[in-house]
Amino acid sequence: MKGEGKMMFKSKMKWVGLIGLILSTFSLLVHIFLARFTEDGVSEYQSSVTIFSWRPIFENAEFSKTSPLYRRLWGPVRRLESLHPDASPRGYYADPSYRANGFIFVRIQGGFHEIRNSISDVVVVARLLNATLVIPEIQSTTSSKGISSQFKSFAYLYNEEQFMAALAKDINIVKTLPKNLKGARRKKKIPSFRVSYSASPYFYLHHVLPVLIKHSVVELVVSDGGCLQASLPPHLEEYQRLRCRVAFHALRFRQEVQELATRILRRLRAPGRPFIAFDPGMIRDALAYHGCAELFQDVHTELIQHKRAWMIKRRIVRGKLSVNSMELRLNGTCPLMPEEVGILLRAYGYSWDTIIYVSGGEVFGGQRTLIPLHAMFANVVDRTSLSTAWELTRIYGREANLIDPKTPLSVEEEEKHESWKNVGPRPRPLPPPPARPKSYNIEGWWGWVAESDNEPESTVMELRTNAHKLLWEAIDYMVCVEADVFIPGFDRDGKGHPNFASLVMGHRLYQSASSKTYRPDRRKVVKLLEETRDHLYQANHTWVTSIRKHLRRSLLDGLTEASTKSKSLSVLSHPVPECSCLKYDPTESYVNASSPSHSQLQATLGAVHHCPAWMDSQIISRSKDKESEEDLDEDDSSSSGLFFRHNGSNHESGGGEINKEEAQLEDQEEESGEK
């Protein structure tokens, strides 16, 4: 009986084990099935089980959002709270005519910010010429080999349906040319114009329009980051608002890109802390154009000089090859280094555990240039540390495998090869030594500098990567626009035009003008840094106060500079006053109408239109405690010992503590200085 009982027990255990194995296998298959076929739910599931490289480090678990210090560092710019987006037509605005003069087909070349600027311009040109716009073709996605056939050209980056629907009352848009015109384009029988960055309305009305009417189609090649001058006559002001509607409403990224950017934003905000977005703006073309080679002391200097020589040869740059980079830096022509931006933020009062998101597809000089920033702030992240390789690959779509094709042997060489194999036994010479490999394939992408004066042509993989960079910058763009604070390292590109950071600042000014966007004057900042170059990490109270005053004033003074320097090159970098309106609480209108802050805002932004009546119901009165929020501060001793971490009561200080009374007086001085 005992033997039979043991046998039955073992049999039951086997069945239990078998059932457990079946259930485990079934569970695994369910997870694989969900991961393969579900779009939304599984992405969140995978995010929860993925180990990301970023692990936030904070000094204190509690984070007060009601303190005066929080309002000073993260709160809205009170004087800009009355500025709201308003890009709707303000007078008679006719619907697009169904009897158009013809079709405009556009090929756009350039990077992310150039594409965005160019699309806004071509929509305005189509409206100006009463033409039907064919969805623009983005060259960097069509010329790249092996990119996904699922997403190409305009649809690789933007949502075509949203673009067409948002502009239905502005222009007629079609996805492709009619068959007869499409065939003529393939045979290159349609007239083509390579338009300049600052082409005037006169050029289009007197040169392009007659050709369009005659041939029913024209092709525009846009390669300079725009195709219409930024400043338009007063009677064409509605076209400026059309530019805003295109850039800020019609140009939405495709769903996969938006979803990933939203997840990254959610992960950034998961710790419950606000974050700063920082765009270094340090790309090779910009450094070469502005003559900033001597900021580096290695092979990067040679790479910049090589690019500058190339620009001079093509008359992109009209200066000399060798320039004094240090003198240009003192004049504010060169970008602020990440270390210098970190010093500004620490001096202003941001603690070492502040979250900083670094945007940009390329930081010239590599991660080495970001080491000082990482040393000052423990939570420096980018898109790669907040997403997985699987998530990034998913937005690329299914791409073809790239295999470098081998050059086939000619018939004669094939015959010689076969005869050599079949020849009888005889002494054979030693085979030739293998060809010397290209050093830049071993040492890095810059290795060719040591062997050649000519930069190698882009490989197929590099062309594909250039297409991927558009998606990376689209993610960075969304994160930067939604950031609690934004600060740029540079605001010009490799042609002297407003760059990625400028478009971000323009979008933030349009969408949420009161959000903190620092626009530091590089010339003044470098001067302040040079004053205490030997004691940067142990700065005194006077120097810290100067930095604070400058950064706070840059919130408004930077708008004045942008209106004079950036807006003349790109409306999207400063879309006020054309695309904004002022809105006040009626109970405060009589008080504020003649106040210094109101008059200063009018002087800074120009003649701003008052918001329409339907927006009055959305006004939220400002509370009385906000009236003095910039006159208060709390003990911020971390700003005096700028770059030391504070643990418990052990405070290392490099320049003495700033007590509460001094901090209050300091902010009062800043407030009175702004007025």
Side-chain angles (χ1 to χ4, degrees), residues 43-76:
S43 61
E44 293 301 321
Y45 166 76
Q46 290 196 347
S47 302
S48 65
V49 300
T50 303
I51 300 177
F52 295 103
S53 58
W54 180 46
R55 284 292 177 267
I57 303 171
F58 301 115
E59 184 175 11
N60 298 314
E62 297 181 358
F63 187 72
S64 174
K65 295 185 178 181
T66 58
S67 65
L69 177 61
Y70 177 88
R71 292 198 297 270
R72 183 170 70 84
L73 298 179
W74 305 103

Side-chain angles (χ1 to χ4, degrees), residues 38 126 167-168 173 228 234 240 250 291 309 331 347 355 358 370 565 627:
T38 305
L167 298 175
I173 306 177
L228 182 66
Q240 302 289 48
N331 290 333
I355 301 173
V358 180
L370 295 175
K565 294 183 179 180
E627 291 298 330

Side-chain angles (χ1 to χ4, degrees), residues 67-85:
S67 65
L69 177 61
Y70 177 88
R71 292 198 297 270
R72 183 170 70 84
L73 298 179
W74 305 103
V77 182
R78 205 159 48 83
R79 295 182 185 177
L80 295 177
E81 285 184 326
S82 56
L83 194 65
H84 295 269

Side-chain angles (χ1 to χ4, degrees), residues 17-293:
L18 181 61
I19 292 172
L21 182 62
I22 292 173
L23 290 175
S24 300
T25 305
F26 178 75
S27 175
L28 181 62
L29 290 174
V30 168
H31 284 136
I32 293 174
F33 177 82
L34 289 173
R36 178 66 181 84
F37 295 103
T38 305
E39 292 292 329
D40 300 323
V42 172
S43 61
E44 293 301 321
Y45 166 76
Q46 290 196 347
S47 302
S48 65
V49 300
T50 303
I51 300 177
F52 295 103
S53 58
W54 180 46
R55 284 292 177 267
I57 303 171
F58 301 115
E59 184 175 11
N60 298 314
E62 297 181 358
F63 187 72
S64 174
K65 295 185 178 181
T66 58
S67 65
L69 177 61
Y70 177 88
R71 292 198 297 270
R72 183 170 70 84
L73 298 179
W74 305 103
V77 182
R78 205 159 48 83
R79 295 182 185 177
L80 295 177
E81 285 184 326
S82 56
L83 194 65
H84 295 269
D86 181 22
S88 302
R90 296 176 186 171
Y92 173 74
Y93 191 78
D95 290 338
S97 172
Y98 290 103
R99 297 182 61 183
N101 291 323
F103 294 89
I104 293 181
F105 180 84
V106 186
R107 289 191 291 124
I108 299 175
Q109 302 168 356
F112 175 86
H113 68 282
E114 294 173 315
I115 292 170
R116 199 170 181 87
N117 241 339
S118 300
I119 293 174
S120 300
D121 283 357
V122 298
V123 170
V124 172
V125 169
R127 172 86 185 186
L128 182 68
L129 301 181
N130 187 27
T132 299
L133 177 66
V134 181
I135 291 284
E137 183 179 277
I138 300 176
Q139 289 294 98
S140 54
T141 62
T142 57
S143 60
S144 304
K145 302 296 173 62
I147 67 171
S148 173
S149 58
Q150 184 181 359
F151 312 112
K152 277 201 172 183
S153 192
F154 188 89
Y156 189 80
L157 190 57
Y158 294 110
N159 186 326
E160 285 186 349
E161 302 301 329
Q162 164 67 20
F163 181 74
M164 297 175 69
L167 298 175
K169 294 185 177 181
D170 297 295
I171 59 171
N172 297 317
I173 306 177
V174 295
K175 290 189 176 182
T176 59
L177 286 168
K179 288 186 178 180
N180 59 327
L181 296 179
K182 192 183 294 184
R185 179 183 170 268
R186 288 199 189 100
K187 298 176 183 178
K188 298 183 178 180
K189 292 184 178 180
I190 65 174
S192 178
F193 294 87
R194 181 174 288 274
V195 291
S196 67
Y197 182 82
S198 57
S200 65
Y202 180 89
F203 168 79
Y204 287 103
L205 293 173
H206 293 82
H207 293 83
V208 178
L209 182 58
V211 177
L212 174 65
I213 295 173
K214 180 179 180 180
H215 296 273
S216 298
V217 62
V218 293
E219 180 182 49
L220 302 182
V221 181
V222 185
S223 59
D224 290 336
C227 60
L228 182 66
Q229 65 186 40
S231 300
L232 296 178
H235 69 280
L236 296 179
E237 186 175 303
E238 284 297 342
Y239 289 92
Q240 302 289 48
R241 282 187 278 278
L242 176 56
R243 276 171 160 161
C244 293
R245 291 198 294 276
V246 175
F248 306 136
H249 297 280
L251 287 180
R252 298 287 178 87
F253 302 116
R254 60 180 166 90
Q255 183 179 354
E256 294 80 4
V257 178
Q258 290 217 118
E259 288 176 353
L260 180 54
T262 303
R263 285 199 295 272
I264 289 176
L265 272 168
R266 193 156 52 239
R267 292 163 190 166
L268 271 169
R269 299 193 186 280
R273 306 286 184 103
F275 72 94
I276 299 173
F278 164 52
D279 181 67
M282 294 175 58
I283 60 174
R284 183 183 169 205
D285 289 5
L287 293 167
Y289 181 89
H290 296 281
C292 305

